Amino acid sequence: RFRTVARSRDPHKWLGVPAASATIAAAARGLQDRPFESMSQEGQHTVAVVARSPRYGWTVAVGLPRSALDKPAIRVTLQAFTAAGVLAVIGLLVALYFARQIGRPVLALADAAAELGRDRVPAPLHTGLAEADQVGAALHEAGLRSARATELLESRVAEAIRQTQEAQTRLLDGQKHEAIGRLTGGLAHDLNNFLQTMSTGLQVLDRIVREEHGRRVIEASTRALDKAAALVRQMLAFGRTQPLEA
């Protein structure tokens, strides 16, 4: 049973020889139309299929060498890998192109942000990428607002400094006038004491001296003393810290 009665290769050599053990096992198990690994009569690894004719009861085994099947598979695999490599290279080139197209706007945005960080107004961008140009316009507007805010702040600081300097000047002037007033008041008090002493002396002489010449000297001295007293009163009024009341 399961002996070779016909074979496509060297039929006379293998006529009556039992079939391969794997073929016999597949036929015994009834593996119809299912490929299985086998070994040919020549000792080659094959992939075989067993079929049975219900009309005549013949069992037919068809096998192909594994190498004959592997070569197309290897060729197809190599072709697939080659095509995949070509597609990968093309994809890489396309990716590099688009990366460069996108990278330029990104670098331009980085430069605009750096300009803004240095308190400068970045110029509007015209990269051709709408999103990058919108961000560049926003950076430009932010730079303009920052510049206006800086100018306003500087003007306010300058005005505050000017007002402070004016206040300091007025304070120094007030302190200087106060010091002069105090000095003038002190001198006026001292001069007033001297004038009172001189006035007392002239009053005594006015009672004692009867000569015409002496009287004229006393009168002249009294008039001069009155003028000095008026000047002292003006000095006292200048040195007062409170306003005069009528």
Side-chain angles (χ1 to χ4, degrees):
R1 189 181 181 184
F2 298 117
R3 292 181 178 275
T4 304
V5 296
R7 197 167 184 269
S8 60
R9 185 176 181 181
D10 299 330
H12 300 289
K13 179 178 180 180
W14 302 106
L15 184 64
V17 177
S21 58
T23 304
I24 296 173
R29 291 196 303 269
L31 298 179
Q32 301 292 324
D33 302 328
R34 294 182 183 179
F36 59 90
E37 296 286 339
S38 180
M39 185 72 70
S40 68
Q41 298 292 356
E42 290 83 6
Q44 293 182 346
H45 290 281
T46 61
V47 177
V49 176
V50 174
R52 184 176 178 82
S53 174
R55 183 174 182 179
Y56 299 103
W58 293 98
T59 299
V60 179
V62 179
L64 289 175
R66 167 64 69 179
S67 59
L69 296 175
D70 289 343
K71 289 180 180 180
I74 294 173
R75 183 173 63 254
V76 171
T77 303
L78 291 177
Q79 292 175 353
F81 275 111
T82 303
V86 172
L87 291 177
V89 172
I90 294 175
L92 180 61
L93 294 177
V94 173
L96 289 176
Y97 173 77
F98 283 105
R100 180 169 296 181
Q101 295 298 320
I102 297 175
R104 290 175 182 174
V106 171
L107 293 177
L109 286 176
D111 293 339
E115 288 292 313
L116 185 61
R118 289 191 288 267
D119 295 331
R120 300 176 183 174
V121 180
L125 297 181
H126 301 286
T127 61
L129 186 62
E131 292 78 3
D133 293 343
Q134 291 176 359
V135 176
L139 292 176
H140 175 70
E141 184 63 25
L144 292 178
R145 289 197 298 268
S146 177
R148 289 193 292 267
T150 301
E151 292 177 358
L152 179 60
L153 180 61
E154 290 177 351
S155 64
R156 290 182 177 177
V157 170
E159 180 64 20
I161 293 174
R162 185 187 64 79
Q163 293 178 358
T164 302
Q165 291 176 346
E166 291 180 354
Q168 290 178 349
T169 301
R170 289 194 296 269
L171 179 60
L172 292 175
D173 290 341
Q175 292 175 348
K176 181 172 64 176
H177 292 162
E178 182 181 358
I180 294 174
R182 290 180 179 179
L183 178 61
T184 303
L187 292 175
H189 280 293
D190 293 338
L191 289 176
N192 189 46
N193 293 333
F194 296 148
L195 292 177
Q196 287 180 357
T197 302
M198 294 172 64
S199 176
T200 302
L202 288 176
Q203 290 177 4
V204 173
L205 290 176
D206 184 53
R207 294 180 181 180
I208 296 174
V209 176
R210 298 299 179 186
E211 297 177 357
E212 185 66 24
H213 178 70
R215 299 290 300 175
R216 289 197 298 271
V217 174
I218 292 173
E219 291 175 356
S221 298
T222 301
R223 289 193 297 271
L225 188 63
D226 292 337
K227 293 181 180 179
L231 180 59
V232 169
R233 285 194 296 270
Q234 293 178 1
M235 293 174 66
L236 287 173
F238 179 76
R240 288 179 182 270
T241 57
Q242 295 180 353
L244 295 176
E245 295 180 2

